């Protein structure tokens, strides 16, 4: 299956484009299973570019990772894609995770992913590709007419070394390295142990209570192997 990620970001004059670990990790898992992935980065509601990309790439699924600030743009994109191209649209990221009712009710949205998305997205792609009912997949909420199917949260991925290295090829990674200072970002762990009141982390801790260790680390060898791979 072809999966098109649409990633809304601030305009370049406001913020340097940064690598997005979540999209990269999900893309790597999907590619490892034989699916094709493409990324469209947008900083405005560019309908013409979205339409051209959809017609050229022929995706079977549109996926968007959204912060709260970009939820209005993501909603508008979902509404257009569903109406113009009749494609399923899934929203993921921090906003759908912490504001699921608002996210799943947006017009044009087929389903949302709450929390970690690697294996829920993989199971969704496999179900759609084989024309199976996907509505029982854990971490996903589905909209069916006026009804919302709210599936439970699955346990957190405990062995981070079991994941493939996040895919960087779908990003304009060579161009991203040219900004000053040139740097490549790596994620060595998932989950933060601190309950700072100004952060979303306490809500995420509560969401995953009883779902395994919240703070998890990659092994040193696994992380250094990714660093070496990116340098090469």
């Amino acid at each position: 299956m072809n999966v098109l990620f649409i990633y809304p970001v601030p305009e370049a004059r406001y913020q340097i484009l940064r690598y997005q670990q979540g999209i990269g990790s999900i893309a790597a898992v999907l590619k490892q299973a034989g699916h094709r992935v493409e990324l469209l980065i947008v900083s405005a509601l560019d309908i013409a570019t979205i339409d051209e990309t959809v017609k050229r790439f022929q995706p079977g699924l549109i996926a968007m990772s959204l912060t709260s600030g970009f939820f209005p743009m993501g909603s508008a994109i979902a509404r257009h894609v569903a109406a113009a191209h009749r494609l399923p649209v899934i929203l993921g990221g921090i906003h759908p995770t912490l504001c699921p009712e608002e996210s799943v009710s947006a017009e044009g949205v087929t389903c949302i992913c709450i929390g970690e998305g690697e294996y829920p997205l993989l199971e969704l792609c496999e179900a759609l590709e084989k024309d199976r009912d996907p509505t029982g997949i854990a971490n996903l909420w589905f909209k069916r007419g006026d009804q919302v199917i709210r599936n439970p949260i699955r346990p957190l991925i405990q062995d981070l070394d079991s994941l493939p290295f996040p895919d960087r090829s779908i990003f304009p990674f060579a161009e991203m390295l040219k900004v000053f200072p040139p740097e490549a970002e790596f994620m060595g762990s998932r989950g933060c142990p601190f309950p700072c009141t100004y952060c979303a982390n306490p809500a995420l801790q509560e969401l995953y209570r009883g779902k395994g260790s919240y703070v998890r680390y990659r092994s040193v060898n696994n992380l250094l192997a990714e660093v070496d791979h990116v340098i090469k």
Side-chain angles (χ1 to χ4, degrees):
M1 170 175 282
N2 292 354
V3 180
L4 175 62
F5 282 89
I6 300 179
Y7 181 36
V9 298
E11 293 181 37
R13 58 178 172 165
Y14 297 124
Q15 182 175 310
I16 295 172
L17 177 64
R18 309 299 291 264
Y19 177 65
Q20 218 276 2
Q21 294 280 346
I23 293 175
S25 184
I26 295 171
V29 169
L30 294 180
K31 284 186 171 183
Q32 187 179 63
H35 301 285
R36 295 180 64 219
V37 178
E38 188 165 308
L39 174 66
L40 176 61
I41 299 171
V42 296
S43 56
L45 187 58
D46 187 348
I47 296 301
T49 300
I50 292 171
D51 287 346
E52 186 278 328
T53 305
V54 168
K55 291 175 182 176
R56 174 182 53 78
F57 186 58
Q58 294 292 301
L61 177 67
I62 302 291
M64 282 186 279
S65 179
L66 299 177
T67 60
S68 295
F70 283 96
F71 178 69
M73 184 190 296
S75 299
I77 293 172
R79 186 166 56 250
H80 170 75
V81 168
H85 302 285
R86 305 295 180 186
L87 289 171
V89 177
I90 181 169
L91 304 184
I94 192 64
H95 189 80
T97 294
L98 297 185
C99 302
E101 298 291 351
E102 177 186 31
S103 300
V104 77
S105 64
E107 185 180 349
V109 171
T110 307
C111 60
I112 64 169
C113 180
I114 299 175
E116 292 179 323
E118 285 90 352
Y119 296 115
L121 263 290
L122 178 59
E123 291 173 20
L124 176 62
C125 288
E126 291 174 347
L128 293 175
E129 196 170 47
K130 296 175 182 178
D131 200 27
R132 298 199 309 255
D133 179 17
T135 56
I137 297 173
N139 283 33
L140 302 188
W141 285 17
F142 287 85
K143 187 163 54 186
R144 288 291 182 266
D146 295 331
Q147 180 187 12
V148 175
I149 301 171
R150 300 172 176 85
N151 291 304
I153 300 296
R154 67 182 66 203
L156 288 162
I157 299 170
Q158 296 297 304
D159 181 12
L160 299 183
D161 287 3
S162 67
L163 293 168
F165 296 154
D167 183 75
R168 298 172 192 264
S169 66
I170 60 173
F171 283 80
F173 195 65
E175 294 300 315
M176 293 165 66
L177 290 176
K178 293 179 181 178
V179 300
F180 182 83
E183 62 182 18
E185 297 180 3
F186 299 86
M187 183 176 289
S189 64
R190 288 187 181 184
C192 174
F194 300 110
C196 302
T197 56
Y198 57 81
C199 181
N201 195 53
L204 295 174
Q205 291 173 330
E206 183 61 31
L207 176 70
Y208 278 112
R209 191 177 301 278
K211 298 296 182 180
S213 297
Y214 180 65
V215 180
R216 296 144 291 150
Y217 298 92
R218 294 170 64 184
S219 69
V220 172
N221 287 341
N222 180 261
L223 181 56
L224 291 181
E226 185 191 359
V227 173
D228 185 59
H229 171 74
V230 171
I231 290 172
K232 288 179 180 178

